[in-house]
Each structure stands twice: as C-alpha cells, then as structure tokens.
Amino acid sequence: MYRLLIADDEALEREGIEWIVNRMMPDTFETIHAENGRMAIQKAEEHRPHIVMMDVRMPGIQGLEALKEIKTQHPQAKMVLITAYENFEYAKQAISLGVHEYLVKPAKREQIVSVLSRLVQELEEEQHKRDEELAVREQFFQLLPLAETEIALHLMSGHVNETETGHLADILQLPVDKGCSLVLGLSEVGEAKKKVYDAVKTAAHAAPKDSYGTVVSSLIHSHMALFLLGTRQTGDSALADGASELGTRLADVLREQCGMAVPVGIGTVQNRAEGIKRSYYEAVFASRYDQEGGGICRFEDLMQASGAGGTHAEKLINGSRDAGESAYVELAIRQIREERE
C-alpha cells in the first residue's frame, strides 16, 4: 500500500478525500491526516508518505511553505496542491517546488481519482526502474571477481591482447600503463585451497595503496599471481616498494593463518600489458629460486647478483629456459587457458 498524506485545516475536506479514495481505490492507500502545515511536516517526517495532498491556505505555516520543507526532506514524494482558486501565481510557485498536479475545491471524485491514479502509475514505474537498476548493479558486482580473475589470466597467459585487457581494466577501474607481478610459490594445498585463496585475496585488497591497484589470480598449478597496476604517473619505486611490502604481508598471513612457509617472487616494474606479463615470468622464476626458505626474492636482486653479463635469470626470461623451469611455466599457462575456457 502507498502512504497518502492529506493536509487541510478543514476536517470535512480531509475525511471526504479519504472516503473517496477508500471507495474508488480500495486497498491502495494508507491515509494520514494533518490539520496544518506544521503538523504536515511532522507527519511527513514520521510516515514518509508517497503522495502529499496539501491545501494552500492553512493557519500557521502555509501550504506552499510546508510543501517546500517536505520536498527538501523527501524529494521522491509526489505533491498535489489543493486550492480554492485557480490562481496563476500559486501554480507558478507550485511548479518551482516540483508540484505538477493540483486540484481546485470542491474537487470532483473523478478528478481526485484521476490525479491519484496517475501518481500511483508514476510510483510503480519509478519502482520498476529502481528494481531494474539494482538488478543490474547486483549483476555487475557479482561479475567483478570474474573480471579480476580474467584480467589476471590475460596477464599470465602466453599472448596478451592489449585491447581486451584494457576493456577488463576499465570495468575494474584499474590502469594498466605499468605494473609488476608477485608470485606465491605454493606447494600442494589440497583441501586448504579455498582457505589459502581467500586469505591471499583478503590480505591483498586490504593492504593500503594510494597510487596503484591490485589484481589477484586464482590458484593455478601450485602458484598464485598478483599484479600491482599503476598509471604512467605512478613512480616505479612506489610499485616496487608496494610489491615488497605486499609480499611480506602475504607471507606472514599464510604463515599465521594457514601454517605455510611460502616463497614469494617479485618481478620488475614494466610498462604496458606485455611488459607486465614479462614481470610475471620474472616473478615465477624468483619464486622458484629458493623454495626452501619461504622468503621474499626479487628478480631485480637476482639480476644484480648475477653480474653485468646476466646469467641464468636473464636467459630464463629471454627464452633460454632450462627444462625444469620451462615445463613449470608452460604447464601453468596450459592450465590458465583451460580455466579461461
């Protein structure tokens, strides 16, 4: 039922309108009475009516003033002006307050029913529109985790489609101008897979970040990838420092919540989606460099330690992988493609 507030200083007028409404539109309205403008404002605050029928001339606060106050507090309410005169000045003021319906006393029952029927139809249409918008928003928020997983899979897979990745980034409101990757080198987690995934995702999204966004992949072939994504203006050091802090945080969380010592590999900061994919390969290698200790290993540190010539670390990323590392990455990519399908 809709709530109808009738504000008129004449009790017979209020009761007459209520009688007509109950007789001509049964089971449609719950009726609230107000005998002056002040009471109308109070009753509107208390009951939040869908429709307000307001007499222009009442003792104390006049009808237009009361309508203005009610409209300010309850902008969705439909307003009907009741007047004893077809006064243009009243009509002009009423229109400025959002009143598009008015009745001239004594109003015939057909006029009252016609006005209220139109407003009820408007209310139903507005409610239907709100329901549709809420349904779309709910579907959108349900799809956000899928979009996050998908963009992670794009950045992890062998071929990066910049356009498709850009569309997914737009949905998530994330930049992909530059970024770096972290990889958690998880051993077989068995039944703890969901617990591990939830712990990592919760910790990653709860981590403080001002200049970049975070994307978390699903758990694929005993590892999870995370991507820190920034704009062109994001400093490389901000991303690199953020990755180190996040890696430490995730290692602590998995140790405390899951009882796991997990090695964390961190790739270098790279530009665009293709470069971020390279950072992922670097992070994969770094995560497998020291699987015993379960600490943080940055590919950049491995490069510096290997000297200017660049040895196994650089060769791995450039394509001269040894059989073990190559098989690991290729198996992960096959599983990524299967998961995307």
Side-chain angles (χ1 to χ4, degrees), residues 48-72:
R48 303 184 67 84
H50 298 92
I51 301 174
V52 178
M53 301 183 75
M54 181 79 70
D55 187 13
V56 172
R57 291 188 175 277
M58 289 186 292
I61 300 176
Q62 293 291 300
L64 287 175
E65 294 175 36
L67 277 180
K68 184 177 181 180
E69 179 69 22
I70 293 171
K71 193 67 175 177
T72 300

Side-chain angles (χ1 to χ4, degrees), residues 7-74:
D8 197 308
D9 59 325
E10 298 180 21
L12 284 176
E13 286 289 339
R14 299 195 306 271
E15 291 166 3
I17 292 173
E18 182 178 10
W19 184 86
I20 291 170
V21 168
N22 290 339
R23 183 178 178 85
M24 305 292 288
M25 303 177 72
D27 302 321
T28 305
F29 291 104
E30 172 193 346
T31 307
I32 303 113
H33 289 239
E35 61 189 38
N36 55 52
R38 178 182 58 80
M39 187 174 289
I41 294 170
Q42 292 174 346
K43 290 290 182 72
E45 184 64 30
E46 180 181 354
H47 297 282
R48 303 184 67 84
H50 298 92
I51 301 174
V52 178
M53 301 183 75
M54 181 79 70
D55 187 13
V56 172
R57 291 188 175 277
M58 289 186 292
I61 300 176
Q62 293 291 300
L64 287 175
E65 294 175 36
L67 277 180
K68 184 177 181 180
E69 179 69 22
I70 293 171
K71 193 67 175 177
T72 300
Q73 299 298 324
H74 312 287

Side-chain angles (χ1 to χ4, degrees), residues 147-314:
E148 180 179 5
T149 299
E150 181 67 8
I151 194 172
L153 296 177
H154 272 271
L155 294 170
M156 295 164 73
S157 61
H159 301 283
V160 176
N161 185 320
E162 295 270 1
T163 302
E164 199 170 341
T165 303
H167 288 327
L168 290 167
D170 289 341
I171 291 172
L172 294 167
Q173 297 183 331
L174 288 172
V176 283
D177 297 318
K178 66 168 60 174
C180 64
S181 176
L182 294 83
V183 167
L184 307 179
L186 300 162
S187 58
E188 293 299 327
V189 294
E191 296 180 357
K193 181 175 181 178
K194 186 177 188 306
K195 183 178 181 181
V196 169
Y197 174 78
D198 289 342
V200 170
K201 190 159 187 176
T202 300
H205 287 306
K209 46 189 175 292
D210 297 321
S211 57
Y212 57 84
T214 306
V215 167
V216 182
S217 81
S218 51
L219 200 156
I220 299 170
H221 187 49
S222 301
H223 79 264
M224 285 182 69
L226 296 91
F227 298 91
L228 274 60
L229 305 174
T231 65
R232 292 184 182 87
Q233 289 73 38
T234 305
D236 288 7
S237 59
L239 287 167
D241 293 344
S244 296
E245 291 169 7
L246 180 57
T248 302
R249 178 186 178 90
L250 294 175
D252 291 342
V253 165
L254 289 172
R255 186 180 301 107
E256 294 167 6
Q257 297 184 16
C258 305
M260 300 173 62
V262 176
V264 180
I266 300 175
T268 59
V269 176
Q270 301 279 346
N271 294 322
R272 302 181 63 84
E274 189 66 36
I276 297 168
K277 183 197 73 173
R278 174 187 173 89
S279 179
Y280 161 68
Y281 278 94
E282 294 174 349
V284 168
F285 175 68
S287 72
R288 291 176 59 80
Y289 187 78
D290 179 15
Q291 299 183 68
E292 299 295 329
I296 309 298
C297 182
R298 303 197 323 164
F299 185 82
E300 185 175 2
D301 295 338
L302 296 179
M303 288 295 298
Q304 292 174 356
S306 67
T311 55
H312 183 57
E314 182 65 19

